[in-house]
Amino acid sequence: MSHIKNLIPRTVNPDIQKERSAASFDVQEFAAWWQGGLAKLNTKREIERVLFDDQEDGYGLKHEYMSHEEVYNCMVKNLCEAAPKLKALQQRLNPGGSDIWPACLTNVQATGLFPGNHPLATHITMFVDVIKGQGTPEQVDKWAKAAENCNIIGTYAQTELAHGTNVRGIETRADYDVKTDEFVLNTPSLEAYKWWPGGLGHTANHAMVVAQLYINGQHKGIQMFIVPLRDAETHMPLPGVDIGEIGKKLGMHAVNQGFLGLKNVRIPRTNMLMKYTKVERDGSFTESPASRVNYLTMVYTRCLIVNLNATLLLEAATIATRYSAVRRQSPIELNAPEPQIIDHVTQRLKLFPEIANGMAYHMAAEYMWEQYDQTVLEANNGKFDRLPDMHILSCALKVLASTDGCAGIERLRLSTGGHGYHIAANMSNIYGNAVAAITYEGENTVLLLQIGRALVKAWANYKQGQPLSASYAYLASSMQLREFPKWDNSWQCILKALQFTAAHKTRIAFENLSERMAKGQSQAVAANNTGIELTRAAELHGRQFVCQTFMEQITGAKAKKRSQALNAVLENVLELFLVQTVLNNMSDVLRFINLTEVDLRSLQKRLELSLEQLRPNAVAICDGFDFHDKVLNSVLGCYDGNVYPRLFEAAKRSTMNQKPVQKSFETYLKPLMKSSL
């Protein structure tokens, strides 16, 4: 297809070049800051050079014309061909580390390497890390290195066909046989089959199975077990293992999610992870010192989800913003030339808040990783005080990042008009990868209810005069105010208003819950009937946290390390995020805070002004995220801005265009056209 290659100009679209020339800050400084330093930026670019420079033309699109089975096998092939490159890069750039191999199987480069996804993500992000985090030193030595090197491939099997977010309700059980020093695992019904684990279908030969532990018929809670699934040589399922793939999904095409049934499958006692909870040879049981220690796995995974969805949102924002700088349509002045659509204020409102949202969630995730590392350090030393707060905050961030991210990606797709509907725009794949996070690792509404219950518990502690942890401290400080102070339009004022509103929503949820219980409802029934108030309070709890974290990251001590020009741009993004957040939640804010017409008009003007001020820097900000063209994989979002030649090239690559007449013409269409009714 050499004629296709000639369609793409070697020059950059002049409109998008004009945008870059107008930027008020140094894009390289932004990119280095975004990646965590110049050294990390340079390493990232070197990795991408090695991985992407020799990719064939059309690499990112060809899987769209394959069958389901072909996509899976193609992505496995791509993965196995990439592995030696990644291992060699790891050895050359950071010997002994894991930031390239296996990290590049799950970070942003993975979408460029595996445009149809791949089946090892769950192995890397959960199977390996759960062993490291909750295995004994002996178990880590036995399993972790082999798993990291992919000598064994695992998955994380928790969700069942009939049980998801309610982990305590899962039916898979592991009975300890003291005579043989083994656990016997069973899925006692069809509903108990494991369902959805990535890579389980035809890739993994081990699984981290989450099951109910029983010793001498006594229930000992939820535990995790390493279960071999397939023969190491033939890859055939082992006796008692019923395994396969669940079929095609909306997205994640080659992730190979599977089902798993177990019938009297025996594993050694030492295959149960025992860093915290232990089963001895004689069947004696030692419970974990912290009942919620298994939440560490969920906290870790939810932090990954926030990172992932923030990245996917920013990928979509980059595509839509670059396209909006190239696309010209609908004169603003009568008889004037068609402007770039990014000059329409309504288009800016579709684009720029999503840039701000993605940056805010990215910053919140960075903060959470710092807190997670500290929590793990404390847990290793027997301290678990921080874990409940980390669990609740990670739930809140996972909910908001996935909900806002998916809504934002769809909004951005719509902002690109008809061309965004084309598969080569890649908006549909980005959405398909993002939207699953609304359900997996805790369905969002269920998580909001968990947060809501934690909030009313914290409120009860406050009412009883007990001290509150840092993440709930705003409840007390807000309630010390008889009424909200006069609106002064500052960022701190907006943050305090959101906290004041969140505190009162928690108060209302607590009062309604208490009232229902006073009328004779059980606590569980009353909580169900208070679900609307609980979820709304939970959402606002999360939003005030994101606003507070974003503001601290942009205006705090770290700002001194950045140039004045870069700080000015970041403060513009922060302004847009805070103003948009308070406007989006104004119906609740006005319930508790008396804003005047002047105050409301001022917020609207600030929104419009922030959009206007962001306009000259929008393309450059997206450049600063430093997404490689192979990662974006979009004809609308390429760095050179040559949208229309790339769209036409993608059309030419359609398998139907490789021959001028389809076989259905002679067989069906021609007879129809020649028939007489």
PDB file of all heavy atoms in Angstrom, residues 438-453:
ATOM      1  N   ILE A 438     -16.242   1.815  35.797  1.00  0.00           N
ATOM      2  CA  ILE A 438     -17.411   2.193  36.592  1.00  0.00           C
ATOM      3  C   ILE A 438     -17.921   0.988  37.388  1.00  0.00           C
ATOM      4  O   ILE A 438     -18.476   1.136  38.473  1.00  0.00           O
ATOM      5  CB  ILE A 438     -18.515   2.771  35.685  1.00  0.00           C
ATOM      6  CG1 ILE A 438     -18.092   4.171  35.203  1.00  0.00           C
ATOM      7  CG2 ILE A 438     -19.866   2.817  36.383  1.00  0.00           C
ATOM      8  CD1 ILE A 438     -19.079   4.836  34.282  1.00  0.00           C
ATOM      9  N   THR A 439     -17.657  -0.207  36.867  1.00  0.00           N
ATOM     10  CA  THR A 439     -18.162  -1.428  37.500  1.00  0.00           C
ATOM     11  C   THR A 439     -17.084  -2.216  38.229  1.00  0.00           C
ATOM     12  O   THR A 439     -17.296  -2.662  39.366  1.00  0.00           O
ATOM     13  CB  THR A 439     -18.825  -2.328  36.445  1.00  0.00           C
ATOM     14  OG1 THR A 439     -19.821  -1.587  35.749  1.00  0.00           O
ATOM     15  CG2 THR A 439     -19.445  -3.543  37.092  1.00  0.00           C
ATOM     16  N   TYR A 440     -15.914  -2.423  37.585  1.00  0.00           N
ATOM     17  CA  TYR A 440     -14.957  -3.337  38.206  1.00  0.00           C
ATOM     18  C   TYR A 440     -14.272  -2.709  39.414  1.00  0.00           C
ATOM     19  O   TYR A 440     -14.202  -1.501  39.551  1.00  0.00           O
ATOM     20  CB  TYR A 440     -13.959  -3.905  37.206  1.00  0.00           C
ATOM     21  CG  TYR A 440     -12.972  -2.963  36.549  1.00  0.00           C
ATOM     22  CD1 TYR A 440     -12.001  -2.291  37.275  1.00  0.00           C
ATOM     23  CD2 TYR A 440     -12.967  -2.801  35.166  1.00  0.00           C
ATOM     24  CE1 TYR A 440     -11.075  -1.467  36.661  1.00  0.00           C
ATOM     25  CE2 TYR A 440     -12.046  -1.979  34.543  1.00  0.00           C
ATOM     26  CZ  TYR A 440     -11.096  -1.322  35.298  1.00  0.00           C
ATOM     27  OH  TYR A 440     -10.181  -0.508  34.686  1.00  0.00           O
ATOM     28  N   GLU A 441     -13.786  -3.571  40.291  1.00  0.00           N
ATOM     29  CA  GLU A 441     -13.161  -3.190  41.570  1.00  0.00           C
ATOM     30  C   GLU A 441     -14.089  -2.340  42.441  1.00  0.00           C
ATOM     31  O   GLU A 441     -13.655  -1.425  43.120  1.00  0.00           O
ATOM     32  CB  GLU A 441     -11.824  -2.465  41.339  1.00  0.00           C
ATOM     33  CG  GLU A 441     -10.816  -3.261  40.551  1.00  0.00           C
ATOM     34  CD  GLU A 441     -10.620  -4.666  41.081  1.00  0.00           C
ATOM     35  OE1 GLU A 441     -10.723  -4.867  42.299  1.00  0.00           O
ATOM     36  OE2 GLU A 441     -10.367  -5.576  40.274  1.00  0.00           O
ATOM     37  N   GLY A 442     -15.360  -2.680  42.417  1.00  0.00           N
ATOM     38  CA  GLY A 442     -16.353  -1.985  43.227  1.00  0.00           C
ATOM     39  C   GLY A 442     -17.270  -1.141  42.368  1.00  0.00           C
ATOM     40  O   GLY A 442     -16.846  -0.124  41.806  1.00  0.00           O
ATOM     41  N   GLU A 443     -18.507  -1.585  42.191  1.00  0.00           N
ATOM     42  CA  GLU A 443     -19.479  -0.805  41.411  1.00  0.00           C
ATOM     43  C   GLU A 443     -19.678   0.556  42.069  1.00  0.00           C
ATOM     44  O   GLU A 443     -19.728   0.672  43.287  1.00  0.00           O
ATOM     45  CB  GLU A 443     -20.792  -1.591  41.323  1.00  0.00           C
ATOM     46  CG  GLU A 443     -21.773  -1.070  40.298  1.00  0.00           C
ATOM     47  CD  GLU A 443     -22.610   0.084  40.810  1.00  0.00           C
ATOM     48  OE1 GLU A 443     -22.837   0.145  42.036  1.00  0.00           O
ATOM     49  OE2 GLU A 443     -23.048   0.909  39.988  1.00  0.00           O
ATOM     50  N   ASN A 444     -19.766   1.594  41.252  1.00  0.00           N
ATOM     51  CA  ASN A 444     -19.665   2.949  41.791  1.00  0.00           C
ATOM     52  C   ASN A 444     -20.741   3.310  42.810  1.00  0.00           C
ATOM     53  O   ASN A 444     -20.448   3.957  43.819  1.00  0.00           O
ATOM     54  CB  ASN A 444     -19.668   3.965  40.644  1.00  0.00           C
ATOM     55  CG  ASN A 444     -18.302   4.091  39.993  1.00  0.00           C
ATOM     56  OD1 ASN A 444     -17.356   3.402  40.363  1.00  0.00           O
ATOM     57  ND2 ASN A 444     -18.184   4.977  39.014  1.00  0.00           N
ATOM     58  N   THR A 445     -21.976   2.916  42.580  1.00  0.00           N
ATOM     59  CA  THR A 445     -23.025   3.245  43.542  1.00  0.00           C
ATOM     60  C   THR A 445     -22.791   2.525  44.865  1.00  0.00           C
ATOM     61  O   THR A 445     -22.981   3.100  45.948  1.00  0.00           O
ATOM     62  CB  THR A 445     -24.408   2.881  42.985  1.00  0.00           C
ATOM     63  OG1 THR A 445     -24.624   3.590  41.763  1.00  0.00           O
ATOM     64  CG2 THR A 445     -25.507   3.252  43.977  1.00  0.00           C
ATOM     65  N   VAL A 446     -22.355   1.272  44.782  1.00  0.00           N
ATOM     66  CA  VAL A 446     -22.061   0.526  46.011  1.00  0.00           C
ATOM     67  C   VAL A 446     -20.937   1.203  46.781  1.00  0.00           C
ATOM     68  O   VAL A 446     -20.981   1.320  48.018  1.00  0.00           O
ATOM     69  CB  VAL A 446     -21.713  -0.936  45.682  1.00  0.00           C
ATOM     70  CG1 VAL A 446     -21.300  -1.688  46.939  1.00  0.00           C
ATOM     71  CG2 VAL A 446     -22.901  -1.629  45.021  1.00  0.00           C
ATOM     72  N   LEU A 447     -19.919   1.674  46.074  1.00  0.00           N
ATOM     73  CA  LEU A 447     -18.818   2.368  46.736  1.00  0.00           C
ATOM     74  C   LEU A 447     -19.290   3.673  47.370  1.00  0.00           C
ATOM     75  O   LEU A 447     -18.870   4.027  48.479  1.00  0.00           O
ATOM     76  CB  LEU A 447     -17.684   2.640  45.743  1.00  0.00           C
ATOM     77  CG  LEU A 447     -16.948   1.421  45.193  1.00  0.00           C
ATOM     78  CD1 LEU A 447     -15.766   1.860  44.336  1.00  0.00           C
ATOM     79  CD2 LEU A 447     -16.458   0.514  46.315  1.00  0.00           C
ATOM     80  N   LEU A 448     -20.154   4.393  46.675  1.00  0.00           N
ATOM     81  CA  LEU A 448     -20.697   5.629  47.258  1.00  0.00           C
ATOM     82  C   LEU A 448     -21.456   5.343  48.549  1.00  0.00           C
ATOM     83  O   LEU A 448     -21.372   6.110  49.518  1.00  0.00           O
ATOM     84  CB  LEU A 448     -21.607   6.332  46.256  1.00  0.00           C
ATOM     85  CG  LEU A 448     -20.918   7.052  45.088  1.00  0.00           C
ATOM     86  CD1 LEU A 448     -21.953   7.539  44.076  1.00  0.00           C
ATOM     87  CD2 LEU A 448     -20.082   8.231  45.574  1.00  0.00           C
ATOM     88  N   LEU A 449     -22.191   4.242  48.565  1.00  0.00           N
ATOM     89  CA  LEU A 449     -22.911   3.883  49.789  1.00  0.00           C
ATOM     90  C   LEU A 449     -21.944   3.535  50.919  1.00  0.00           C
ATOM     91  O   LEU A 449     -22.186   3.877  52.084  1.00  0.00           O
ATOM     92  CB  LEU A 449     -23.857   2.714  49.514  1.00  0.00           C
ATOM     93  CG  LEU A 449     -25.075   3.051  48.652  1.00  0.00           C
ATOM     94  CD1 LEU A 449     -25.796   1.785  48.213  1.00  0.00           C
ATOM     95  CD2 LEU A 449     -26.034   3.969  49.405  1.00  0.00           C
ATOM     96  N   GLN A 450     -20.836   2.864  50.590  1.00  0.00           N
ATOM     97  CA  GLN A 450     -19.815   2.597  51.610  1.00  0.00           C
ATOM     98  C   GLN A 450     -19.254   3.900  52.175  1.00  0.00           C
ATOM     99  O   GLN A 450     -19.086   4.049  53.383  1.00  0.00           O
ATOM    100  CB  GLN A 450     -18.678   1.764  51.011  1.00  0.00           C
ATOM    101  CG  GLN A 450     -19.019   0.317  50.750  1.00  0.00           C
ATOM    102  CD  GLN A 450     -17.799  -0.471  50.273  1.00  0.00           C
ATOM    103  OE1 GLN A 450     -16.668  -0.112  50.559  1.00  0.00           O
ATOM    104  NE2 GLN A 450     -18.040  -1.542  49.543  1.00  0.00           N
ATOM    105  N   ILE A 451     -18.970   4.838  51.280  1.00  0.00           N
ATOM    106  CA  ILE A 451     -18.456   6.139  51.720  1.00  0.00           C
ATOM    107  C   ILE A 451     -19.492   6.838  52.581  1.00  0.00           C
ATOM    108  O   ILE A 451     -19.165   7.427  53.624  1.00  0.00           O
ATOM    109  CB  ILE A 451     -18.098   7.012  50.503  1.00  0.00           C
ATOM    110  CG1 ILE A 451     -17.021   6.335  49.651  1.00  0.00           C
ATOM    111  CG2 ILE A 451     -17.614   8.400  50.951  1.00  0.00           C
ATOM    112  CD1 ILE A 451     -16.890   6.921  48.254  1.00  0.00           C
ATOM    113  N   GLY A 452     -20.757   6.788  52.156  1.00  0.00           N
ATOM    114  CA  GLY A 452     -21.822   7.437  52.915  1.00  0.00           C
ATOM    115  C   GLY A 452     -21.941   6.884  54.323  1.00  0.00           C
ATOM    116  O   GLY A 452     -22.109   7.633  55.289  1.00  0.00           O
ATOM    117  N   ARG A 453     -21.823   5.558  54.459  1.00  0.00           N
ATOM    118  CA  ARG A 453     -21.885   4.956  55.799  1.00  0.00           C
ATOM    119  C   ARG A 453     -20.699   5.395  56.652  1.00  0.00           C
ATOM    120  O   ARG A 453     -20.841   5.630  57.863  1.00  0.00           O
ATOM    121  CB  ARG A 453     -21.951   3.428  55.680  1.00  0.00           C
ATOM    122  CG  ARG A 453     -23.282   2.912  55.154  1.00  0.00           C
ATOM    123  CD  ARG A 453     -23.418   1.412  55.353  1.00  0.00           C
ATOM    124  NE  ARG A 453     -22.505   0.668  54.498  1.00  0.00           N
ATOM    125  CZ  ARG A 453     -22.804   0.259  53.257  1.00  0.00           C
ATOM    126  NH1 ARG A 453     -23.993   0.545  52.735  1.00  0.00           N
ATOM    127  NH2 ARG A 453     -21.928  -0.444  52.561  1.00  0.00           N
TER     128      ARG A 453
END
